[in-house]
Amino acid sequence: MLVVGLTGGIGSGKTQASNWFAKQNIHIIDVDVLARQVVEKNSPALQQIVQAFGEWVIQADGLLNRKALREYIFTHPDALITLQNITHPAIRALAKQQIDQATTAYCILVAPLLLEGGKTGLKQLCQQILVIDTDEHNQILRASLRDKQTTEQIQAIMNNQLSRKQRLQQADHVVTNNGTLEQLYAKLIPLHQYYLTLAKQF
């Protein structure tokens, strides 16, 4: 199974790109979805998070208090590493399971932090890396409109991701997304054809 890792900074257009591939009947594995699944109520990962941070991360209904944890990480950068050390192995295992079950010509693994994590990261599950790229101005504008976050919050997220230069250096293909959705889709068409051809080798 050919696995194409799709990544990009916040506000780059990863979701729009993955939605387009989904419409071409390509199986999409969204790491943001997996990240929510691994911390479901009573899950082993959630129990580890409680042990690491305290009972305050749990809501009255037994679910993870994402907002409180996100705000804590925002002011305690080291906490992000602790959280990732707990969740990333579980996310990777779940991603591998979904890859093994995929039945389409190839599959897309969508992850904001695809290229982080070194030899144990999600990148190791992929044979091709596709980066959706845009300039910082567009990142901040799109993310603020979408998530109603402040520029400071968006900048903090960007600081936790690889720099654009580091991301682009690891890409097999880069799609610049500074224009319309139609322009983005037009750039994805030849890549889809390329991946269909390449998938025959796997």
Side-chain angles (χ1 to χ4, degrees):
M1 170 62 66
L2 170 65
V3 182
V4 178
L6 192 160
T7 192
I10 184 173
S12 60
K14 294 183 298 295
T15 301
Q16 287 78 10
S18 66
N19 287 346
W20 183 89
F21 281 108
K23 288 178 181 176
Q24 316 313 310
N25 296 315
I26 297 303
H27 184 66
I28 306 296
I29 303 167
D30 188 335
V31 170
D32 283 343
V33 173
L34 303 187
R36 288 192 288 273
Q37 291 176 354
V38 300
V39 294
E40 286 177 346
K41 189 174 180 178
N42 299 322
S43 66
L46 183 58
Q47 292 168 8
Q48 287 179 270
I49 291 170
V50 173
Q51 289 170 2
F53 296 102
E55 293 288 342
W56 61 266
V57 299
I58 300 294
Q59 299 173 160
D61 58 7
L63 299 176
L64 178 65
N65 189 330
R66 297 176 184 281
K67 184 174 185 292
L69 185 57
R70 186 166 56 242
E71 290 173 354
Y72 181 81
I73 288 170
F74 184 62
T75 54
H76 300 79
D78 289 346
L80 179 63
I81 297 170
T82 301
L83 180 64
Q84 289 174 343
N85 286 340
I86 294 169
T87 59
H88 280 193
I91 291 169
R92 180 189 164 98
L94 203 52
K96 181 69 168 62
Q97 180 184 336
Q98 292 201 13
I99 288 167
D100 292 342
Q101 294 172 349
T103 57
T104 53
Y106 64 94
C107 66
I108 299 266
L109 179 64
V110 188
L113 302 178
L114 180 75
L115 303 176
E116 287 81 348
K119 293 182 179 179
T120 61
L122 293 166
K123 179 186 177 183
Q124 306 308 315
L125 299 176
C126 307
Q127 290 82 41
Q128 289 280 297
I129 302 297
L130 169 59
V131 170
I132 309 298
D133 184 54
T134 192
D135 57 54
E136 189 172 308
H137 170 76
N138 272 327
Q139 284 186 270
I140 293 172
L141 178 63
R142 291 170 182 168
S144 61
L145 290 172
R146 181 191 66 198
D147 301 332
K148 303 293 187 287
Q149 295 186 92
T150 65
T151 301
E152 183 184 23
Q153 289 171 318
I154 296 164
Q155 195 67 55
I157 292 170
M158 291 167 66
N159 291 342
N160 283 326
Q161 298 178 337
L162 288 181
S163 69
R164 282 181 73 196
K165 181 179 179 181
Q166 290 172 311
R167 195 181 296 117
L168 295 175
Q169 284 175 339
Q170 298 185 60
D172 294 297
H173 294 97
V174 177
V175 170
T176 303
N177 181 29
N178 290 332
T180 64
L181 281 177
E182 287 71 23
Q183 289 170 325
L184 171 64
Y185 299 157
K187 294 176 181 179
L188 297 178
I189 292 169
L191 279 173
H192 174 55
Q193 295 303 321
Y194 172 75
Y195 295 144
L196 287 173
T197 301
L198 186 63
K200 295 173 184 176
Q201 300 176 21
F202 291 85

